[in-house]
Amino acid sequence: MSEKDVGGVVVREFDAERDCYGVEMVERRCEVGPSGKMSLFTDLMGDPVCRVRHSPAFLMLVAEMGEEKEIVGLIRGCIKTVTCGEKLSRNGKNAAENNVPLPIYTKLAYILGLRVSPSHRRMGIGLKLVSRMEDWFRDKGAEYSYMATDKDNEASVNLFTDRCGYAKFRTPSILVQPVFAHRVRIPSRVNIFRLSPSEAENLYRRRFSTTEFFPRDIDSVLNNNLSLGTFLAVSSSQSFPGLDQFLANPPESWAVLSIWNSKEVFRLEVRGASRFKKGLAKTSRFVDRVFQCLRIPSVPELFRPFGLHFLYGLGGEGPDSVSLTRALCGFAHNMAKESGCGVVATEVACCEPLRLGIPHWKRLSCAEDLWCMKRLGEDYSDGALGDWTKSLPGPSIFVDPREF
């Protein structure tokens, strides 16, 4: 993408050979969190595009000013094809094949990592970065664009909703659980099986392809080297006879989730905590370590860089699906402990039925993340769906780990 000078600001494509230091400085000046409170710093481990490079198509832009060409802003974007609704099949060979929900796909763009240096805000730089990124989205045929932000981030919300034409769309929850010094006990009444990537793909396409935001290239996600596996939980009285038989005659209750190794992509660090809070956290870890038999919850070392595992593709059915989900989350916690992670996180719809089975700490979680969406053009035909931005939320969403 060629350079463009707009009002003294040059917006151009990121150049890894000359921009890494400038981008890092902007990131450090833009710690996430309300003023005066603890903030969350994200360390991209020297690779500014690592959070989007696993997507089918991605771009990073920077904004620079002055004779010294100081980088004062940046933005990342990616594009993929996802489910935006469903329709009923009318071409089945028999009655059983009719009225089967089929996914409606759309080409969706995602904006993340918009940053503007505090000293250069209120100059229209954020708007220029968003506009240039949207131009690229349209050139690539994207039909919708969305972004996620903290609902209390007034500057970000106002930029996108008031100036860029985005509408508030979904309010999922980010649920975060610390990784304790002790392992979580998995109930003996639960059997957990690991699925191969091909089995996991088959299960997700058969059971979850009509879930909102389901990625059409789920095979690329599951076969990515950052995907640590997909795990299926059933009661101890059940075995796993193979996926075909499982799908043909599933047990009364089951649950599934996949694990993504975000630790290899970025590290997080909580900054701005008082000495008192740090002291309480250190004391909780000491007590937890000394008296592991008591299984006292502790606060991990979050005030230095730490990694996380992200849980995605959560789903299940049956009266015991919540308890089976809780067992899977415990299993994921133990994997994260072995990998040296500080937390396990996931993101689910606010009315997700399995939410009760996902352990989390409210202090570390976000009850209402805000997703805003914009239709990029009126010339696109969405068939039976209409305008996705005006659709009502469903009970579940499929959160792509490549974008977390």
Side-chain angles (χ1 to χ4, degrees):
M1 180 174 286
S2 60
E3 298 183 4
K4 187 175 182 179
D5 191 331
V6 184
V9 178
V10 174
V11 178
R12 60 171 176 80
E13 189 170 346
F14 168 77
D15 184 335
E17 293 186 0
R18 57 173 168 159
D19 294 336
C20 283
Y21 177 77
V23 166
E24 182 181 354
M25 291 299 100
V26 173
E27 293 276 10
R28 289 185 176 276
R29 297 186 193 111
C30 299
E31 297 175 354
V32 180
S35 177
K37 296 184 179 181
M38 289 190 296
S39 58
L40 189 63
F41 173 69
T42 304
D43 180 6
L44 299 179
M45 301 169 64
D47 184 0
V49 296
C50 65
R51 291 190 66 184
V52 291
R53 70 165 60 256
H54 295 281
S55 298
F58 62 89
L59 178 69
M60 179 171 174
L61 301 174
V62 297
E64 61 183 19
M65 288 185 68
E67 295 181 359
E68 297 182 355
K69 297 184 177 181
E70 177 189 4
I71 293 179
V72 295
L74 57 101
I75 192 172
R76 302 173 182 87
C78 55
I79 302 172
K80 61 182 179 180
T81 300
V82 304
T83 296
C84 60
E86 64 179 47
K87 59 184 177 181
L88 296 179
S89 171
R90 300 296 183 186
N91 299 317
K93 296 179 181 179
N94 53 58
E97 293 177 350
N98 280 321
N99 299 319
V100 174
L102 298 175
I104 300 174
Y105 290 110
T106 190
K107 203 166 187 179
L108 176 68
Y110 179 50
I111 290 176
L112 74 162
L114 174 62
R115 303 281 188 268
V116 177
S117 292
S119 58
H120 291 81
R121 290 173 183 170
R122 301 185 181 278
M123 298 172 62
I125 295 174
L127 180 60
K128 292 167 186 174
L129 285 166
V130 172
S131 297
R132 287 296 305 283
M133 184 61 74
E134 288 181 349
D135 289 342
W136 180 73
F137 290 160
R138 292 186 182 93
D139 289 344
K140 295 295 184 180
E143 300 173 68
Y144 295 92
S145 172
Y146 85 109
M147 52 77 67
T149 187
D150 187 327
K151 68 181 180 65
D152 295 325
N153 187 340
E154 293 184 6
S156 178
V157 173
N158 292 339
L159 170 65
F160 281 93
T161 59
D162 294 345
R163 306 193 65 187
C164 298
Y166 285 70
K168 296 180 180 180
F169 187 62
R170 300 289 183 261
T171 54
S173 300
I174 299 175
L175 306 179
V176 181
Q177 178 78 343
V179 175
F180 305 126
H182 53 78
R183 291 175 60 86
V184 174
R185 294 173 181 170
I186 308 300
S188 59
R189 65 180 183 275
V190 177
N191 280 340
I192 296 177
F193 303 94
R194 180 174 185 144
L195 303 181
S196 69
S198 60
E199 288 175 327
E201 178 190 354
N202 196 1
L203 174 60
Y204 280 132
R205 291 196 188 278
R206 292 278 295 274
R207 290 286 183 166
F208 303 104
S209 65
T210 57
T211 301
E212 199 172 44
F213 290 95
F214 179 84
R216 194 171 192 173
D217 66 335
I218 185 64
D219 55 319
S220 296
V221 179
L222 296 168
N223 284 289
N224 192 290
N225 58 6
L226 295 177
S227 190
L228 299 178
T230 299
F231 302 90
L232 178 72
V234 297
S235 68
S236 58
S237 61
Q238 301 286 334
S239 60
F240 182 63
L243 189 65
D244 291 338
Q245 190 171 340
F246 173 86
L247 291 171
N249 186 27
E252 183 181 20
S253 297
W254 58 274
V256 66
L257 64 73
S258 298
I259 304 175
W260 185 266
N261 187 11
S262 296
K263 181 183 177 183
E264 300 304 319
V265 179
F266 58 84
R267 301 290 177 92
L268 301 171
E269 180 181 350
V270 176
R271 295 181 174 180
S274 65
R275 289 185 178 180
F276 176 72
K277 290 182 178 179
K278 290 182 178 180
L280 286 178
K282 186 175 182 179
T283 301
S284 73
R285 291 193 298 274
F286 173 78
V287 174
D288 192 10
R289 233 178 1 254
V290 174
F291 302 102
Q292 289 193 35
C293 59
L294 299 179
R295 310 182 72 79
I296 301 172
S298 61
V299 180
E301 179 54 87
L302 304 180
F303 310 111
R304 293 183 296 182
F306 64 90
L308 71 85
H309 282 176
F310 183 74
L311 311 184
Y312 68 101
L314 283 80
E317 295 179 354
D320 295 329
S321 58
V322 169
S323 60
L324 293 174
T325 297
R326 185 176 295 108
L328 283 173
C329 289
F331 180 85
H333 169 279
N334 295 340
M335 283 187 62
K337 172 178 167 55
E338 293 173 2
S339 298
C341 289
V343 299
V344 176
T346 189
E347 188 164 14
V348 297
C350 60
C351 50
E352 169 59 53
L354 299 179
R355 179 174 175 153
L356 293 176
I358 303 173
H360 61 281
W361 278 19
K362 289 184 178 181
R363 282 186 173 272
L364 300 178
S365 303
C366 174
E368 281 193 18
D369 195 23
L370 176 62
W371 291 7
C372 298
M373 183 174 285
K374 175 181 180 178
R375 196 175 189 184
L376 293 176
E378 298 297 331
D379 296 333
Y380 300 109
S381 174
D382 295 326
L385 175 70
D387 186 350
W388 189 18
T389 64
K390 300 176 182 178
S391 65
L392 296 175
S396 302
I397 56 175
F398 196 104
V399 179
D400 193 326
R402 297 172 296 187
E403 298 175 358
F404 183 79

